[in-house]
Amino acid sequence: MKPRAFVPEKLDVAVFAREDGSLEGEWPAVTLQRLADSAAPEAPASGWPALRWSLRGEIRQPKGGKAQTWLHLRCHAEVALTCQRCLKPVTEALDIDRWIRFVESEAEAEALDADSEDDVLALPRHLDARELIEDELLLALPLVPRHETCPEPLAHVDDDEEADAELERPNPFAALAALKKSGGSA
């Protein structure tokens, strides 16, 4: 019997796991639109290396329990984000290595997810693995991307320069005080 061909954008997770299926591939980062939108303006996603991914399904049979459907997701991507210190592009490597358990209903997923360290999702009829991988990559993005050491020294304003600038700036309340003293007539 010929092995079944699985398509990542329309994956039947239950069958994939039952048949110990595995898939792997590469996608241009620009094809993951939400991830590409996070790119630094000077380093668009079209210049990023292709992201590599793999999926493997399996059925686990715990003692005294019912069979469990699992999906192992691995992904590697390199993205260029804007450093929040120097505002230049900073390359970040994102590595995902996650097991996801699938259960019959949203309620069961919610109950198990609260008590478990594992990721638990409701079993969909067809899973878009591309969307799942993009979600996982977005969750792996650093909250504040920055270089360990910025490539250019940061602009530094001396306290004296800052104080001088304050003195030169007119106080907006001084004009109001003058109006009050003159009786409010302009």
Side-chain angles (χ1 to χ4, degrees):
M1 187 167 134
K2 186 172 123 180
R4 186 184 305 242
F6 293 102
V7 178
E9 290 82 8
K10 197 173 182 182
L11 188 62
D12 185 333
V13 178
V15 173
F16 186 71
R18 220 176 11 256
E19 294 186 9
D20 293 323
S22 66
L23 288 170
E24 62 181 34
E26 289 187 351
W27 292 321
V30 75
T31 63
L32 302 177
Q33 188 59 52
R34 293 177 295 147
L35 184 65
D37 288 345
S38 68
E42 306 87 349
S46 58
W48 298 353
L51 64 97
R52 295 183 316 275
W53 58 272
S54 68
L55 298 170
R56 186 169 56 86
E58 84 177 36
I59 298 291
R60 295 181 188 171
Q61 186 65 52
K63 290 187 184 211
K66 67 177 191 171
Q68 300 174 348
T69 303
W70 288 84
L71 182 69
H72 187 205
L73 163 66
R74 285 188 174 170
C75 182
H76 174 79
E78 289 184 24
V79 299
L81 308 171
T82 301
C83 173
Q84 297 301 296
R85 277 192 282 220
C86 67
L87 303 177
K88 302 287 183 204
V90 58
T91 301
E92 296 280 351
L94 305 177
D95 289 300
I96 310 293
D97 187 349
R98 182 157 293 129
W99 281 96
I100 301 168
R101 180 178 171 195
F102 287 89
V103 295
E104 295 301 319
S105 69
E106 286 288 340
E108 186 180 357
E110 193 174 310
L112 288 172
D113 199 31
D115 297 335
S116 173
E117 288 185 24
D118 297 316
D119 291 325
V120 182
L121 296 175
L123 188 64
R125 175 73 180 113
H126 294 293
L127 174 75
D128 185 345
R130 181 184 295 261
E131 198 172 286
L132 176 67
I133 290 168
E134 185 175 24
D135 288 346
E136 293 296 333
L137 288 169
L138 288 169
L139 290 170
L141 288 175
L143 291 176
V144 182
R146 62 180 179 258
H147 295 100
E148 286 292 322
T149 304
C150 290
E152 297 175 17
L154 301 177
H156 180 70
V157 177
D158 285 340
D159 290 337
D160 293 338
E161 289 176 28
E162 209 171 277
D164 291 344
E166 279 294 320
L167 289 175
E168 292 172 13
R169 227 179 282 140
N171 184 338
F173 295 103
L176 181 62
L179 278 173
K180 284 181 89 176
K181 282 182 184 175
S182 68
S185 59

